[in-house]
Amino acid sequence: DAKTTQPNSMESNEEEPVHLPCNHSTISGTDYIHWYRQLPSQGPEYVIHGLTSNVNNRMASLAIAEDRKSSTLILHRATLRDAAVYYCILRDVGGGADGLTFGKGTHLIIQP
Amino acid sequence: DGGITQSPKYLFRKEGQNVTLSCEQNLNHDAMYWYRQDPGQGLRLIYYSQIVNDFQKGDIAEGYSVSREKKESFPLTVTSAQKNPTAFYLCASIPRDRGRVNYGYTFGSGTRLTVV
């Protein structure tokens, strides 16, 4: 799987939007961009994924750059429960079911 | 509700002992995975199984063993050969036919293993 780069940590205030960046300059044309988050002492949970177009779901939005070399996970109104480590992961569409490759992710801190 | 159950939540092991971590899922998923997480680090893949009675080594399989006798169960044994077993262990699953269309993986809540 291609490599992703994320900031180690970010801080935001409660009830404000949060933009979590991810760089993936070596992304291939068949790589999907996935985001997972891990709450303290929990397993990761799926957040969202996309290929080329921006995506929205009940948890977040995913904005993908036109050249696909970067993406941004957007939490529209952060709450204290959004404090977690957020992982950006690339998965080839033909990658099969051989597991995910996790980096260190971004530790999101939410201030009340 | 469907999900993955890992037990126990906390486990203490004496040096030189083998210990088995349980992972059970009722999602009817075909593929199951074991990951290890050390403090401040991402997850690393230990073993995975895409079908009953078959499994493959991940990136850090040394000192671990698994079995997959039933679709819903994928226990992990941490053997005495694993020199630094203290870590957070996570089990995950995915429907095998959806593994190729990037459906989300489901994770359990983890087992924290400490060697005493």
Side-chain angles (χ1 to χ4, degrees):
Chain A
D1 296 324
K3 186 180 169 71
T4 63
T5 304
Q6 301 176 252
N8 288 335
S9 65
M10 290 184 64
E11 202 166 310
S12 183
N13 295 320
E14 196 176 10
E15 298 187 3
E16 290 185 356
V18 180
H19 291 234
L20 296 163
C22 181
N23 287 320
H24 28 78
S25 59
T26 60
I27 191 170
S28 74
T30 54
D31 280 335
Y32 277 79
I33 302 158
H34 284 238
W35 284 83
Y36 283 76
R37 74 177 187 179
Q38 185 176 20
L39 301 171
S41 298
Q42 296 290 321
E45 63 174 336
Y46 166 82
V47 177
I48 199 167
H49 77 274
L51 184 62
T52 55
S53 303
N54 294 346
V55 184
N56 300 298
N57 66 21
R58 64 174 180 82
M59 291 182 71
S61 295
L62 176 61
I64 302 172
E66 198 169 332
D67 63 4
R68 298 205 334 120
K69 293 185 177 182
S70 66
S71 61
T72 303
L73 180 71
I74 302 167
L75 307 179
H76 294 286
R77 195 162 169 267
T79 70
L80 295 177
R81 288 181 293 179
D82 291 320
V85 178
Y86 287 79
Y87 297 98
C88 171
I89 300 169
L90 301 183
R91 286 291 288 165
D92 187 275
V93 66
D98 56 351
L100 298 171
T101 300
F102 287 81
K104 293 185 180 181
T106 296
H107 183 200
L108 177 63
I109 299 164
I110 304 295
Q111 297 289 354
Chain B
D1 289 334
I4 295 180
T5 301
Q6 289 189 241
S7 61
K9 191 171 178 68
Y10 298 95
L11 187 58
F12 296 89
R13 190 196 90 172
K14 292 182 179 179
E15 283 195 39
Q17 283 184 339
N18 292 355
V19 63
T20 297
L21 282 59
S22 170
C23 178
E24 303 278 333
Q25 54 100 356
N26 60 2
L27 299 164
N28 200 34
H29 286 178
D30 299 280
M32 297 185 73
Y33 307 81
W34 274 105
Y35 287 89
R36 169 185 171 134
Q37 187 174 33
D38 294 288
Q41 304 296 314
L43 282 68
R44 292 184 290 166
L45 184 63
I46 304 172
Y47 267 99
Y48 64 101
S49 166
Q50 298 195 22
I51 197 167
V52 173
N53 292 323
D54 188 42
F55 47 83
Q56 287 78 41
K57 293 182 179 180
D59 301 318
I60 55 165
E62 187 175 349
Y64 299 97
S65 66
V66 293
S67 62
R68 186 85 187 279
E69 297 177 2
K70 299 185 296 182
K71 185 176 183 179
E72 58 270 23
S73 179
F74 190 40
L76 173 74
T77 297
V78 184
T79 74
S80 56
Q82 170 49 239
K83 297 307 177 188
N84 186 21
T86 295
F88 189 44
Y89 290 88
L90 288 155
C91 180
S93 71
I94 188 171
R96 181 164 176 248
D97 59 340
R98 287 176 168 173
R100 300 184 71 82
V101 294
N102 292 285
Y103 198 78
Y105 286 65
T106 301
F107 283 82
S109 297
T111 292
R112 194 168 299 278
L113 173 64
T114 304
V115 172
V116 296

